[in-house]
Amino acid sequence: MSERFAGQTAIITGASRGIGLAIAERLVAEGAKVVITGREAAALAEAVARLGGPEHALGVAGHAADTAHQDEVIAKAVDAFGSAGLLVNNTGINPVYGPLTELDPDVARNVVEVNVLAALSWVQKIYKAWMSGHGGAVVGVASLSGIRPEPGIGMYGASKAMLMHLTKELAVELSPRVRVNAVAPAVVKTRFAAALYEGREDAVAAEYPLGRLGSPDDVAGAVAFLLSADAAWITGRTLVVDGGLAAAGGA
């Protein structure tokens, strides 16, 4: 691995496992220090150990939509590692599966609160605390379901579509000091997405031109690229990471 993130600090939300942890591992492998968040302190402690311990990583437990938690994380990143120039908004929830016509409006509000409004708040706070004076890069983890309909997870997809548009708006507002991009994965083999493929993985994977479902590392590589200087002339874009699924389906 290169050292293209040497001297930089990344905050990654929802990173005790799955895609978030894979992103943290990739960034640490390329020289970054990382601050990871999640709801469970024990899971975060395990993740920090996996990332190489406190020399490389810090875990801060809390709810991603809690503004006091956001302030704490950013302050600890700067205090522990001296900067907060990279942000990955990875936290997302999808608490229900079923038709939109039967969706509880309170559940819908919670999905938007966590998947969209919390992500916006993280950007607002890190911009004011660090990036406005030093520059930086932000990547949001969206979803292919925000680009094309996915029955059963319609509200989740709608929230990710909003996140992708928010990416464009923030990219324009925060240029030229801060770049803002997103990734839109299809089905990735994680606990979060298990209901979409468990018990029928071969059949689901057969729909993908590349013949398999995604892995967390597939998404981590794309995120690392967008955060890096290799993407220095890219902002306001969503990179689809889907094994060719959208191309095959015409999306």
Side-chain angles (χ1 to χ4, degrees):
M1 287 290 180
S2 69
E3 288 289 307
R4 62 180 172 174
F5 296 111
Q8 299 185 63
T9 305
I11 293 172
I12 308 158
T13 69
S16 62
R17 57 183 172 86
I19 290 173
L21 181 55
I23 293 168
E25 289 179 313
R26 179 62 179 264
L27 297 184
V28 167
E30 295 195 42
K33 309 296 186 182
V34 298
V35 179
I36 59 174
T37 77
R39 296 296 299 273
E40 299 179 7
L44 285 172
E46 291 179 8
V48 167
R50 179 169 166 174
L51 292 166
E55 180 183 348
H56 301 282
L58 173 68
V60 184
H63 193 292
D66 180 352
T67 56
H69 169 66
Q70 295 166 4
D71 288 332
E72 178 189 13
V73 171
I74 295 167
K76 285 187 172 181
V78 175
D79 182 61
F81 299 128
S83 65
L86 305 173
L87 171 66
V88 180
N89 270 316
N90 174 64
T91 299
I93 61 168
N94 183 38
V96 294
Y97 185 89
L100 286 171
T101 52
E102 298 178 9
L103 180 63
D104 184 333
D106 288 335
V107 173
R109 291 187 189 96
N110 191 39
V111 170
V112 174
E113 176 71 28
V114 175
N115 294 1
V116 182
L117 299 182
L120 173 59
S121 182
W122 278 102
V123 176
Q124 290 172 331
K125 288 181 175 295
I126 202 167
Y127 179 75
K128 292 173 183 176
W130 183 265
M131 292 184 181
S132 62
H134 302 85
V138 177
V139 174
V141 178
S143 171
L144 186 63
S145 65
I147 297 173
R148 69 181 209 172
E150 294 288 348
I153 58 170
M155 194 64 221
Y156 176 78
S159 74
K160 293 303 187 177
M162 188 174 179
L163 180 64
M164 287 186 280
H165 186 78
L166 196 68
T167 295
K168 296 178 182 179
E169 296 285 355
L170 287 168
V172 173
E173 285 191 20
L174 302 185
S175 288
R177 299 300 301 278
V178 178
R179 295 183 303 103
V180 186
N181 292 291
V183 293
V187 175
V188 175
K189 292 180 65 174
T190 62
R191 189 191 312 173
F192 179 80
L196 301 176
Y197 67 87
E198 273 192 342
R200 53 193 181 96
E201 182 178 335
D202 289 344
V204 175
E207 300 176 6
Y208 289 69
L210 291 184
R212 65 174 176 86
L213 303 183
S215 73
D217 287 340
D218 291 322
V219 182
V223 171
F225 163 68
L226 290 172
L227 288 174
S228 77
D230 292 330
W233 210 44
I234 301 173
T235 196
R237 307 306 298 177
T238 295
L239 176 58
V240 175
V241 186
D242 71 342
L245 183 63

